[in-house]
Amino acid sequence: MTTAEQPNGLTHRNTKTSQSDDNFSHVGKHEDEMDKEYKKWKAYSQKVKVKVLEQIQDQLGEILDRALTESFQPPAHLNTTAMGKKLNKQSGSQRMDDGKVFVARASLLDELFEISHIRTIYHMFIAVLLIFCLSTLAVDYIDQGRLVLEFDLLFFAFGKLWTVTWVWAVMFLYTLSVPFYTLIFWGSLYHNSHFKLGLSLSTGLILSAVQTCILGLFPVYMVVHHQLPPASRFIVILEQIRFLMKAYSFIREVVPVILKNTPKKGETPRFPTFSSYLYFLFCPTLIFRESYPRNNQIRWKYVFVTFGKILGCLFYGYFILVRLCIPVFRPEINQPFSKRTMVLAVFNSILPGIMLLLLCFFAFLHCWLNLFGELLRFADRMFYKDWWNSTSFANYYRTWNVVVHDWLYYYGYRDFLWLSRKRFRAAAMLSVFIVSAVVHEYALAMGFGFFYPVMFCLFAVFGVAFNFTMNDKRQSPVFNVIMWACLFLGQGVQVCLYCQEWYAQIHCPRTGDSFWEIVLPRSWSCSYQT
């Protein structure tokens, strides 16, 4: 055989070369697969990006639509409520323009909580509540050697609930029956009477006198006579104010309709139904209408979750007082009064003060009103607006509590302008501020059991000044910072002064019943070092 055999070295080199080619081909295939995977991932990310942008665009569109809807005041023929139609047709002498229009819409926080970033802020507040619980357990274990959460402050604050219940029942039954049937009695006789003015004046005076006794003096007497604790006091007084505002709105909305609608011979005047008035007494609005936009069904899961949030807020407030307020102001660590101690006390009160402000807003204006709105299928849930974005105090006052603002605007500001023939707008605004400040101070004075007009001074003096100086022309974000700084400082001042006065009232009680003994704050002259 002449076939030449290859040397061993050459054979080995060829083997290495083939192996190397196989390795390169394997790497090439792997890189091709990686390229395909990368292209697939890139295409998928592009699709996700498009979907996210579409969702954001839809949300922005909804927000813009809502803003346009809220800023647009529909003409009279678009008002869907029966009472609203009559009022709009007769707006000549009784109304300057259309009244409040109720539209089906969700609360702003319910919509914002759909965004994960905003929901995270909510979760942060829950985490702070858990930290409060853990800190209270740790302190109790260190001081007393046990792991038990005691809520003695809550039991004290909400004491004598049976008295509160029957006082509320008396006020409710009166508001349910007397204003309604008095209005029907007056309306049935008015158009057939030859003494319309005398009938109206006598009916109005009698109703005002009865209102003063039952909704004015009676709750105050029960609060003072039974020495109700603070939270129970606030329940009675706030319900007293609510029933007064509801009764006034009912009369204010129905009387102009009766005056302008003269029934034909043999016909009786048309009055609101009793069921519509009963619904109005419970629904979360202070503006009476015979009908409101309603949801189709009750979301019971939403009801239970919202009720749980209210309970959570209650315990949150308890921990704020126990961990941040009482340790600062209790008598054991009281120091002699000086400018330094007062300034430090105010700044130490800023954190619990602003937390209590946010807590009251969330618990009442969001959770409590939405709870009743859901149970009654009340569809218009705009109880507040985005007050936290305000760059002026004028906008803050309009958006913080829309429910009360609407009542003050339609029955205070606009009626004042109507009586003055649209003159004295500044006087109309000032009168609304004074009324609001007086009512706020009345509620706090009756709730705490002492007169210390901190809220009145902040509201009627500084609030009015800020309202006219920081007006809607201020749009820079700097003014939003200024607004928040003022809120922080104002809450710190209120928490500090009210806590000092609370302990002063306990440890330095009045020695007489003279006018100055009642009016002058005890914390100004009380020294209760231990």
Side-chain angles (χ1 to χ4, degrees):
M1 292 180 65
T2 59
T3 305
E5 293 182 358
Q6 292 181 350
N8 292 334
L10 184 58
T11 304
H12 184 66
R13 282 197 300 271
N14 291 338
T15 305
K16 279 187 176 181
T17 303
S18 62
Q19 290 177 352
S20 177
D21 292 338
D22 292 338
N23 289 337
F24 278 119
S25 63
H26 180 71
V27 171
K29 290 180 181 179
H30 183 67
E31 289 178 352
D32 291 339
E33 291 177 359
M34 289 291 291
D35 289 337
K36 292 179 180 179
E37 292 294 330
Y38 173 76
K39 289 178 180 179
K40 289 181 180 178
W41 178 85
K42 189 175 182 180
Y44 176 76
S45 63
Q46 190 68 24
K47 290 180 180 179
V48 172
K49 180 181 177 182
V50 171
K51 289 182 179 180
V52 170
L53 290 175
E54 288 176 353
Q55 291 178 357
I56 294 175
Q57 189 174 5
D58 292 339
Q59 291 179 353
L60 290 175
E62 291 176 2
I63 293 173
L64 289 174
D65 291 339
R66 193 180 309 112
L68 291 173
T69 301
E70 292 175 3
S71 63
F72 173 73
Q73 293 293 332
H77 67 277
L78 292 182
N79 194 341
T80 57
T81 61
M83 183 66 69
K85 289 179 180 179
K86 290 190 174 183
L87 288 173
N88 293 333
K89 291 177 182 178
Q90 303 149 11
S91 60
S93 61
Q94 298 296 333
R95 295 279 187 179
M96 292 182 298
D97 50 69
D98 296 338
K100 178 178 174 63
V101 177
F102 290 90
V103 180
R105 50 196 162 186
S107 288
L108 185 55
L109 282 184
D110 283 338
E111 295 180 341
L112 291 178
F113 284 155
E114 297 295 328
I115 304 173
S116 60
H117 304 292
I118 305 298
R119 196 162 57 247
T120 299
I121 300 175
Y122 170 70
H123 295 160
M124 291 166 61
F125 277 91
I126 297 177
V128 173
L129 175 60
L130 296 177
I131 295 299
F132 275 137
C133 293
L134 291 176
S135 67
T136 304
L137 285 172
V139 170
D140 287 347
Y141 181 75
I142 294 172
D143 292 344
Q144 304 177 19
R146 56 192 178 88
L147 291 173
V148 179
L149 285 175
E150 291 185 349
F151 300 105
D152 50 344
L153 182 61
L154 281 179
F155 290 113
F156 160 72
F158 287 92
K160 301 183 179 180
L161 283 181
W162 171 246
T163 304
V164 174
T165 303
W166 75 262
V167 171
W168 180 89
V170 171
M171 292 191 296
F172 169 72
L173 291 175
Y174 166 82
T175 310
L176 180 65
S177 57
V178 175
F180 182 81
Y181 289 109
T182 301
L183 191 64
I184 291 180
F185 170 78
W186 169 81
S188 301
L189 300 178
Y190 178 79
H191 291 287
N192 297 324
S193 174
H194 298 290
F195 305 98
K196 292 182 172 59
L197 181 60
L199 175 66
S200 301
L201 287 176
S202 59
T203 305
L205 288 175
I206 293 173
L207 180 61
S208 298
V210 178
Q211 290 265 96
T212 303
C213 293
I214 304 300
L215 289 184
L217 300 178
F218 171 71
V220 175
Y221 172 78
M222 297 305 297
V223 163
V224 176
H225 178 72
H226 291 276
Q227 290 296 302
L228 298 181
S232 299
R233 284 171 172 257
F234 276 111
I235 293 173
V236 173
I237 297 302
L238 292 178
E239 284 297 282
Q240 172 201 27
I241 296 171
R242 186 178 72 90
F243 284 135
L244 284 169
M245 296 173 76
K246 293 258 189 183
Y248 181 85
S249 175
F250 173 71
I251 295 171
R252 176 64 184 84
E253 293 291 341
V254 176
V255 166
V257 177
I258 296 175
L259 290 175
K260 299 297 290 185
N261 281 328
T262 303
K264 297 178 182 179
K265 244 185 178 182
E267 292 184 355
T268 57
R270 181 183 176 277
F271 301 106
T273 61
F274 183 79
S275 60
S276 66
Y277 180 59
L278 176 62
Y279 180 86
F280 167 65
L281 289 182
F282 285 99
C283 72
T285 181
L286 297 174
I287 307 295
F288 175 75
R289 295 289 184 269
E290 278 197 283
S291 63
Y292 301 92
R294 304 280 292 274
N295 293 327
N296 295 326
Q297 59 183 2
I298 299 175
R299 297 172 296 173
W300 289 106
K301 180 180 178 182
Y302 183 88
V303 169
F304 292 125
V305 170
T306 305
F307 183 73
K309 290 178 181 178
I310 294 173
L311 293 180
C313 290
L314 199 62
F315 289 109
Y316 214 135
Y318 166 80
F319 285 119
I320 291 174
L321 293 175
V322 169
R323 306 305 307 162
L324 299 180
C325 292
I326 293 177
V328 176
F329 296 101
R330 66 174 180 261
E332 289 80 3
I333 61 171
N334 184 61
Q335 300 176 4
F337 177 82
S338 66
K339 293 181 180 178
R340 180 180 180 276
T341 56
M342 176 57 70
V343 170
L344 290 178
V346 169
F347 280 96
N348 287 333
S349 303
I350 287 178
L351 177 60
I354 201 65
M355 291 184 73
L356 288 173
L357 176 73
L358 296 176
L359 196 65
C360 290
F361 159 74
F362 183 75
F364 180 72
L365 292 176
H366 179 72
C367 294
W368 185 259
L369 296 182
N370 270 295
L371 177 66
F372 274 85
E374 190 66 33
L375 289 172
L376 297 173
R377 297 190 291 115
F378 185 80
D380 193 345
R381 308 289 180 85
M382 195 183 70
F383 309 127
Y384 54 88
K385 297 181 183 177
D386 57 336
W387 58 269
W388 49 85
N389 291 327
S390 298
T391 55
S392 67
F393 274 88
N395 185 68
Y396 167 74
Y397 292 134
R398 286 194 303 267
T399 56
W400 160 260
N401 187 344
V402 173
V403 178
V404 173
H405 170 267
D406 286 341
W407 193 94
L408 291 172
Y409 174 73
Y410 288 109
Y411 305 137
Y413 178 76
R414 289 207 326 181
D415 283 357
F416 187 100
L417 290 181
W418 175 74
L419 291 172
S420 64
R421 297 183 180 179
K422 298 187 180 181
R423 295 176 294 179
F424 312 116
R425 291 184 179 272
M429 186 180 300
L430 183 61
S431 65
V432 169
F433 266 96
I434 297 300
V435 169
S436 181
V438 168
V439 173
H440 278 79
E441 187 56 43
Y442 164 75
L444 289 179
M446 293 304 302
F448 290 135
F450 55 79
F451 176 74
Y452 198 6
V454 180
M455 169 68 82
F456 181 82
C457 293
L458 292 176
F459 207 117
V461 180
F462 295 100
V464 172
F466 285 138
N467 182 72
F468 285 99
T469 55
M470 289 184 62
N471 50 40
D472 291 330
K473 296 179 181 179
R474 316 291 186 180
Q475 297 295 329
S476 172
V478 174
F479 292 100
N480 182 251
V481 175
I482 295 174
M483 187 209 73
W484 273 105
C486 293
L487 286 180
F488 277 45
L489 189 59
Q491 290 302 117
V493 169
Q494 289 187 70
V495 169
C496 173
L497 296 183
Y498 281 125
C499 286
Q500 289 179 348
E501 183 65 17
W502 174 267
Y503 283 112
Q505 290 284 333
I506 295 174
H507 294 275
C508 300
R510 293 198 308 263
T511 56
D513 293 327
S514 66
F515 175 77
W516 294 112
E517 282 280 340
I518 297 174
V519 171
L520 287 179
R522 301 298 301 159
S523 56
W524 291 5
S525 58
C526 179
S527 178
Y528 47 92
Q529 270 108 56
T530 57

